[in-house]
Amino acid sequence: MRFKLPSRMKVTGVLLFIQMAAIATGSVFVIAVYPIIWYFGFAISLLALAAILKKDDESAYKITWIAIVLIFPAVGGVIYFIFGNKRPVRRIAAHAQEHALTAKLLDSDGNLPFIDDIKCNRFLGLMQYIRKASSYHAYKNTEVEYFPLGEQMFTSMLEELEKAERFIFIEYFIIKKGSMWQEVLEILKRKAAQGVDVRLIVDDLGSQQLFSKAYIRQLSVTGIKVLRFNPMVPILLLFMNNRDHRKIMVVDGKTAFTGGMNISDEYINRVKRFGRWKDTGVKLKGEAVWSFTLMFIEMWDTFCHTSERINDHISYSSREQHRLNADEALAHGPKPDTDNSSPDANDLPDTDGFVLPFGDSPLDYSQLGEDIYIDILNQAERYVYIFTPYLIISEKMIHALQMAAGRGVDVRIVTPGTPDKKFIFRLTRSYYSYLLKAGIKIYEYTPGFMHAKSFVCDDEIAVVGTINLDYRSLYLHFECAVLMYQSSAVADIKEDALKSISESREVFPTERKWSISNDLSDLLDSVLHLFAPLL
C-alpha cells in the first residue's frame, strides 16, 4: 500500500494550530506563575482598544475585535496587534506603489475624451468616483459577450487562447488538476514553444494542491512563467489574510475574460459536486482590455523575481501593436489592394454603451466593490437582481438593500440551493430575516450551487466579476469586475437573472414559526454575526 503524504495545506494548518495552542498554553502558564504579566497584557489590551476605536474601519469589524479584547483582557490586545491590524506585510503593500505606475498610464490614456459622451449623471458620478478611488475608467469601442454558464465561457476561452500570437496572461484563485486545466495547459505549452509570452499567477492558498515548487519547475521548462501569490508558510506571525481572488485571462491585449469561474472541472459541470454549478462571466474585445492587461502586469511586477519583471507596460498594449504593424507596413511599402484605414478603426468594435473594468484592493482606504454595489442600490429606480454564493454583509450593505426595497425597487437576491460550505450557508441564511422583512425577495437556486457574482439594474447598469457579498471579498481580497452601462450585454444578464429566478425556490418570511429551538438558533446566529467579519 502506497503511503500518501499529507498536502502542504494540511501540514501548514497543523503547524499553525500547534503554534496557536502553544501560545495559548504558554500564556496561561506565564500568567499563573507571574501575575504581573496579566497587568502588562491588560495594558496592551487598553492600547488595542484605543487603536481599534481610532481606526477608520467598518463598524462590524471594530465591534468584533472590541468583543475579543474585552472577553480576553490579558491576551486580547496581543491577539489584535498580531491578527487584527489589516495593514499588509511589506511585500504585499508594495503592490500599492506598483498601482501608482498603472494609474499614470490610465490617466494618460487617450480614451479619456470619451467621458464627454456620457450624458447620464447617474453613471457619470459613479465613474468619476471609481476614477478617483482607483484610476480605472470607462471605455467605448468595447464588445462584451456574457456567458450564463461556465462551460460556455470555457469554450470561448479555448478559442481565444488558440489565436494568441504575442502573450497570454492568466490569473486565478483556484487552478486544480483535471480535464479543464489539462486542455488549457496543452495550449499554453504549444504557444510558449511558438514564442508566445505565457505568464500565470495563482493564489497559493486556492491552488496549493497542484502548484508545488516541483510542478512550477516543470512548467518553467516548457516556457510557462508562474508566480505564486502570497505563499503560505507555517509561521503564525505572517499576514496570510490577503488572497488573490481575481480571475483574469488576457490574450494579446485584444481579448479579456473575467467572472466567477475558476479553472477546475466542477466550474464547467464536468464533475458534479453540488448539483449544477451556476457560474457566469464576460468576454471583452476592444479598448477596455487594456485595464485588465495593466491589472495583471502590476500584480506580476509586484511579486515576481526582479529578473522577470515586465516593466515596459506599453509594449503589451494592443494600440502599441497597431503602431508597430503600421510602422512595419510603411517600412516594406504599401501592399497592393490594401485598405489604408487605421488598424485601430478596423479592429475595434463600434458598440453602444460604456465598459469599465476595475480592480479592488485591500490596500487602499476604500472598499470599491462594496461602494459600487451600494451606489447601484441607492440609484436604482425599478429593479436590482443579484447573484451571490455567500451573503455575509455589513450593516451599511443591509441598510442599502432595505432602503432600495423601501423606495419600491424590486430587489431580488439569488443564493445557492445546495451549499458548498454548510457553516457559511447557515451564516448566509441567518441574514435572510433582515432582508425579507424589508420586502426583498430571496431565492435559492435549486438546481445546485450558485457561484456567480453579479448585479443588474434598470436595464442600464450591470456588474459581473469575482466579488462576493461577504467580508473577505469586500475587505480582504484582491478582486476584479466589469461595470457596464447601456451595453447590449446588460439585457443578456437580466434575461439570465430572470431565468435563474424561475428555476429557484423563493424563501418566504412565514416559513419559520416561533419555537424554543428556533429562538436558540436565532441567538446562535446573532453570535455568528458578531464574528462574521473574521470568517
Side-chain angles (χ1 to χ4, degrees):
M1 181 177 178
R2 185 178 178 183
F3 176 72
K4 185 178 180 181
L5 292 172
S7 68
R8 185 161 53 91
M9 176 75 137
K10 291 179 180 178
V11 171
T12 301
V14 169
L15 291 175
L16 290 175
F17 177 80
I18 292 173
Q19 291 176 67
M20 291 176 68
I23 291 174
T25 303
S27 299
V28 171
F29 175 78
V30 169
I31 291 173
V33 175
Y34 305 101
I36 194 172
I37 298 296
W38 188 94
Y39 295 100
F40 181 71
F42 183 76
I44 294 177
S45 292
L46 291 177
L47 292 175
L49 286 173
I52 294 168
L53 293 171
K54 184 179 178 181
K55 289 190 70 172
D56 183 19
D57 264 338
E58 164 66 31
S59 60
Y61 187 82
K62 294 167 72 171
I63 290 170
T64 298
W65 278 107
I66 289 173
I68 291 173
V69 172
L70 292 178
I71 293 170
F72 307 103
V75 295
V78 176
I79 293 172
Y80 170 75
F81 285 119
I82 294 175
F83 299 107
N85 192 342
K86 292 191 290 185
R87 186 188 70 244
V89 294
R90 185 181 304 172
R91 193 154 184 251
I92 293 180
H95 184 267
Q97 299 175 358
E98 198 65 38
H99 182 71
L101 300 177
T102 296
K104 290 181 180 179
L105 289 173
L106 288 168
D107 288 340
S108 63
D109 197 324
N111 183 67
L112 292 178
F114 290 145
I115 294 172
D116 297 334
D117 295 336
I118 300 175
K119 306 302 181 184
C120 173
N121 290 333
R122 170 183 178 179
F123 182 73
L124 182 60
L126 178 57
M127 194 208 70
Q128 288 174 335
Y129 170 74
I130 295 171
R131 279 199 64 207
K132 183 178 180 180
S134 68
S135 296
Y136 294 108
H137 60 79
Y139 297 82
K140 291 182 71 177
N141 298 330
T142 300
E143 180 183 284
V144 183
E145 183 176 358
Y146 173 74
F147 301 97
L149 288 171
E151 45 266 45
Q152 297 173 358
M153 181 160 141
F154 183 55
T155 299
S156 183
M157 289 166 64
L158 293 178
E159 292 172 355
E160 295 297 333
L161 286 173
E162 290 285 6
K163 299 175 186 177
E165 297 177 349
R166 299 173 55 219
F167 67 89
I168 296 171
F169 292 161
I170 296 177
E171 180 178 345
Y172 277 86
F173 178 62
I174 294 174
I175 298 181
K176 288 184 180 178
K177 185 177 182 180
S179 61
M180 185 181 183
W181 169 237
Q182 194 58 39
E183 288 185 50
V184 172
L185 181 59
E186 290 302 319
I187 299 175
L188 298 184
K189 288 180 178 178
R190 187 163 13 97
K191 290 298 178 178
Q194 295 169 4
V196 174
D197 183 7
V198 180
R199 298 176 189 250
L200 178 64
I201 300 176
V202 295
D203 184 86
D204 195 47
L205 175 64
S207 302
Q208 55 84 28
Q209 291 182 354
L210 179 60
F211 281 84
S212 63
K213 290 183 178 180
Y215 186 67
I216 292 174
R217 283 195 295 269
Q218 293 177 23
L219 294 179
S220 67
V221 173
T222 68
I224 299 173
K225 304 180 183 72
V226 181
L227 184 151
R228 286 191 302 177
F229 176 84
N230 201 5
M232 295 185 303
V233 290
I235 301 176
L236 194 60
L237 299 182
L238 291 185
F239 198 92
M240 292 288 107
N241 258 342
N242 296 137
R243 306 313 319 174
D244 184 1
H245 194 246
R246 308 194 307 194
K247 291 92 178 170
I248 297 173
M249 179 180 287
V250 180
V251 179
D252 288 347
K254 299 178 180 179
T255 305
F257 293 87
T258 194
M261 184 177 72
N262 286 294
I263 300 180
S264 183
D265 287 352
E266 63 266 32
Y267 291 86
I268 55 174
N269 287 296
R270 291 185 184 175
V271 171
K272 300 289 185 181
R273 291 186 63 195
F274 312 107
R276 184 202 301 170
W277 192 288
K278 168 69 174 175
D279 232 318
T280 62
V282 290
K283 175 174 74 174
L284 308 184
K285 294 182 78 72
E287 291 274 11
V289 176
W290 178 228
S291 285
F292 277 116
T293 305
L294 289 176
M295 281 185 218
F296 180 94
I297 291 175
E298 71 179 22
M299 186 70 83
W300 180 274
D301 278 2
T302 301
F303 302 107
C304 74
H305 189 274
T306 306
S307 63
E308 293 184 336
R309 283 179 61 93
I310 291 173
N311 290 319
D312 184 10
H313 299 47
I314 295 297
S315 65
Y316 286 84
S317 166
S318 60
R319 289 179 179 175
E320 178 68 5
Q321 186 61 29
H322 291 321
R323 185 189 66 77
L324 293 174
N325 290 344
D327 290 347
E328 184 179 356
L330 289 173
H332 292 83
K335 297 181 181 179
D337 300 323
T338 57
D339 185 358
N340 292 324
S341 60
S342 165
D344 284 22
N346 287 336
D347 291 353
L348 298 176
D350 183 15
T351 59
D352 59 341
F354 296 85
V355 180
L356 198 163
F358 65 92
D360 193 7
S361 164
L363 308 180
D364 52 33
Y365 293 100
S366 66
Q367 286 76 47
L368 188 60
E370 185 178 44
D371 290 344
I372 291 171
Y373 285 162
I374 288 176
D375 187 81
I376 290 173
L377 289 164
N378 289 342
Q379 300 277 357
E381 297 176 354
R382 293 187 291 117
Y383 74 85
V384 180
Y385 302 151
I386 301 168
F387 288 165
T388 182
Y390 315 115
L391 189 66
I392 307 172
I393 47 181
S394 65
E395 289 182 5
K396 62 181 180 180
M397 178 62 76
I398 292 173
H399 184 65
L401 289 162
Q402 292 171 333
M403 283 289 291
R407 297 198 319 271
V409 176
D410 179 12
V411 181
R412 307 184 193 185
I413 303 174
V414 185
T415 62
T418 303
D420 65 334
K421 305 176 185 72
K422 291 185 179 180
F423 176 76
I424 299 300
F425 187 55
R426 178 195 174 90
L427 194 53
T428 287
R429 283 181 158 179
S430 71
Y431 285 87
Y432 286 0
S433 61
Y434 301 110
L435 307 179
L436 292 170
K437 289 176 184 177
I440 296 164
K441 296 179 180 179
I442 298 177
Y443 300 83
E444 293 183 342
Y445 184 69
T446 51
F449 183 60
M450 167 64 69
H451 191 255
K453 310 100 167 45
S454 67
F455 272 53
V456 60
C457 173
D458 293 346
D459 297 343
E460 288 191 328
I461 291 180
V463 178
V464 175
T466 68
I467 308 172
N468 298 317
L469 283 179
D470 65 14
Y471 283 94
R472 300 205 68 80
S473 264
L474 297 173
Y475 292 90
L476 294 176
H477 290 168
F478 289 87
E479 305 279 0
C480 66
V482 177
L483 173 66
M484 292 156 273
Y485 173 69
Q486 291 187 342
S487 167
S488 57
V490 174
D492 297 330
I493 298 168
K494 178 186 179 182
E495 180 183 356
D496 182 41
L498 292 174
K499 181 176 183 296
S500 299
I501 288 170
S502 70
E503 296 176 322
S504 303
R505 181 186 74 86
E506 184 173 0
V507 179
F508 294 99
T510 55
E511 288 183 11
R512 286 191 63 180
K513 297 181 180 180
W514 183 90
S515 69
I516 293 178
S517 61
N518 280 342
D519 213 32
L520 292 174
S521 180
D522 289 341
L523 179 60
L524 174 61
D525 289 342
S526 298
V527 174
L528 291 177
H529 287 181
L530 180 62
F531 294 97
L534 305 184
L535 301 177

